[in-house]
Amino acid sequence: MPETMMALRAHARGGAEQLVYEPAPVPVPGPGEALVAVHAAAITFAELTWDLSWTTRDGQDRTPVIPSHEVSGTVAGLGPGADGPTVSDEVYALIEFDRDGAAADYVTLPAAHLAARPRSVSQAEAATLPLAALTAWQALVDHAALKPGERVLVQGGAGGVGSYAVQLAAILGGTVTATGSARQRDLVLSLGAATFIATGASGTARYWAATPPEYDVVIDTVGGGVLDASYAVTRRGGRLVTLSAPPSAEKAADSGVRAMFFVVTPNAAELAQLAALVDEGKLRPIVSQTFPLADGGKAFESATLPHPPGKTVLIVR
Ligand SMILES: NC(=O)c1ccc[n+]([C@@H]2O[C@H](COP(=O)([O-])OP(=O)(O)OC[C@H]3O[C@@H](n4cnc5c(N)ncnc54)[C@H](OP(=O)(O)O)[C@@H]3O)[C@@H](O)[C@H]2O)c1
């Protein structure tokens, strides 16, 4: 094993402008940890704004940091007492936000967080799942407790999380409506949404004004004004799951809605279920665009440029 690898790192808190492609030490797996040779790593555009991307859980600065918290790769080594995976296993995982991510040749993480990657798709496609699809799954299943036949609204149905929320809500038996920009309509309908509502300030306002609250479950991946509009379209007694920020307790109470926010957590069993859905042809990973690891800064900068729906992926090897 080499002592040095190439990585995308930020030495000071900020945005994409802080990211440099440079040599870094190959991490050493600790007790219970695995070393994974990264093939592909997906990014979440907002991750550089999250506190835990920069600090430990008790708030200590941990720069330089490596971004990208979803990985598809091969187990290259195991720390003491790491049970489960073996060297050469092809795996995928969500990497916790308070540790270095996968924008590097190698990453370490608890071996218990690894699941066998879906084998019917590419490494880049597999890398789109562990954060985004797990968030959608945990929102719908663990938090909203979606039941078959319920009406689901996914705000931002073409995004990294939203494209999985649409598919999984349909797989779970929901009747899905999704919002997004007009150019995303065909893709979102092809993912299993029964109805698509094109947003754009006036169009959305007209729609919400003309339509009474009707959704049993609303998953808001957008936040801001879209979250504000989401209380009123969730039926009284319905569930509103917010992903970008905690909801307003006051607005939830006024609308008679159970509103909740959570942060996705690693779950190998749920990743195994998602991999099975992919390999059964029921769940489709959507790769928006790929960048070589060396151009990782450009990948983050592309958040503000027009880009296709789905997840942006760094190709490492
Ligand atoms: N709590 C958690 O555990 C967790 C986990 C993952 C992500 N997140 C958060 O979830 C949010 C979404 O993440 P993501 O990776 O899915 O982001 P993303 O890939 O950028 O997706 C956002 C989607 O929302 C769409 N959108 C923007 N404005 C909209 C509007 N007014 N109406 C309808 N759709 C609109 C975007 O369309 P355009 O491309 O046309 O703008 C895009 O398709 C972020 O805030 C992220 O931090 C939270």
Side-chain angles (χ1 to χ4, degrees):
M1 186 58 57
E3 289 184 359
T4 303
M5 64 179 184
M6 294 305 289
L8 192 67
R9 298 205 294 182
H11 290 262
R13 188 162 181 159
E17 77 287 350
Q18 294 290 350
L19 295 169
V20 275
Y21 178 66
E22 62 182 4
V26 172
V28 176
E33 291 184 345
L35 177 73
V36 173
V38 180
H39 290 272
I43 66 170
T44 300
F45 290 130
E47 68 182 80
L48 299 180
T49 67
W50 301 339
D51 286 343
L52 277 183
S53 296
W54 304 98
T55 68
T56 60
R57 287 204 186 263
D58 58 6
Q60 302 299 309
D61 175 41
R62 56 179 189 81
T63 52
V65 298
I66 298 175
S68 178
H69 290 267
E70 40 198 341
V71 61
S72 179
T74 305
V75 177
L78 294 165
D83 297 328
T86 56
V87 170
S88 301
D89 281 357
E90 292 205 17
V91 292
Y92 76 148
L94 167 65
I95 301 157
E96 286 171 301
F97 303 118
D98 60 343
R99 58 187 299 149
D100 276 340
D105 289 327
Y106 295 94
V107 64
T108 56
L109 69 162
H113 294 174
L114 297 173
R117 80 171 186 89
R119 298 306 294 264
S120 58
V121 296
S122 67
Q123 298 273 3
E125 289 170 306
T128 67
L129 289 143
L131 193 160
L134 207 50
T135 301
W137 179 269
Q138 291 180 2
L140 291 162
V141 177
D142 301 344
H143 296 278
L146 176 66
K147 294 187 277 297
E150 289 193 307
R151 298 154 300 179
V152 183
L153 173 67
V154 178
Q155 302 275 33
V161 177
S163 60
Y164 285 119
V166 168
Q167 294 186 78
L168 291 169
I171 288 168
L172 292 163
T175 301
V176 184
T177 297
T179 63
S181 54
R183 65 192 157 78
Q184 297 164 338
R185 172 186 301 276
D186 291 348
L187 174 89
V188 173
L189 291 175
S190 79
L191 298 177
T195 308
F196 181 83
I197 300 169
T199 53
S202 60
T204 313
R206 268 202 309 276
Y207 177 83
W208 299 137
T211 309
E214 58 181 344
Y215 299 102
D216 301 299
V217 171
V218 176
I219 308 294
D220 173 40
T221 76
V222 182
V226 173
L227 170 57
D228 286 341
S230 295
Y231 299 95
V233 295
T234 309
R235 71 159 169 82
R236 290 193 84 79
R239 293 88 80 203
L240 166 62
V241 184
T242 73
L243 295 177
S244 60
S248 153
E250 195 182 339
K251 289 176 184 167
D254 286 350
S255 303
V257 164
R258 190 155 70 83
M260 55 206 121
F261 169 82
F262 74 101
V263 174
V264 63
T265 49
N267 188 316
E270 290 179 342
L271 278 186
Q273 282 178 280
L274 291 166
L277 288 172
V278 172
D279 286 338
E280 289 162 12
K282 295 177 179 160
L283 184 63
R284 176 155 59 108
I286 313 289
V287 176
S288 166
Q289 47 188 350
T290 62
F291 291 82
L293 178 61
D295 290 338
K298 289 185 189 148
F300 277 92
E301 283 165 13
S302 75
T304 56
L305 304 170
H307 54 268
K311 291 284 296 188
T312 294
V313 182
L314 306 176
I315 305 299
V316 178
R317 56 163 64 79

